[in-house]
Amino acid sequence: METENTNANAHKQVIEINGEAVGVVVPDAGTLKFVAVKYHVWELDAQRFASADAARHAVLAHLHGTPASRGRMHGLAA
């Protein structure tokens, strides 16, 4: 099961995949910065996202080996 804390007023939001916390997003400079807490998502550490949902999708893409999950700021307007 894929879950996340979606409370927009939270200071941080935990990103969980299959019941395992893999990171948190924290507000930073008008975006949400991903902080990895598991080694297998370390490549996403410090990336910025427009939403917790965008971060969760990037984690899923990364775990499934989708190249689009690497080296971009997800969910942010160019």
Side-chain angles (χ1 to χ4, degrees):
M1 178 175 181
E2 299 163 7
T3 62
E4 70 177 304
N5 176 353
T6 57
N7 180 353
N9 296 321
H11 294 309
K12 66 179 179 182
Q13 297 180 54
V14 176
I15 305 297
E16 293 183 356
I17 304 298
N18 296 324
E20 176 185 30
V22 296
V24 296
V25 288
V26 294
D28 185 55
T31 64
L32 294 173
K33 182 169 118 178
F34 182 78
V35 179
V37 297
K38 294 292 183 181
Y39 184 73
H40 56 279
V41 295
W42 194 255
E43 290 181 13
L44 299 176
D45 190 61
Q47 287 193 23
R48 286 165 170 53
F49 299 91
S51 67
D53 193 48
R56 184 177 59 81
H57 286 294
V59 168
L60 287 170
H62 175 74
L63 293 174
H64 290 105
T66 305
S69 69
R70 295 175 180 89
R72 322 182 0 203
M73 287 196 283
H74 299 276
L76 299 174

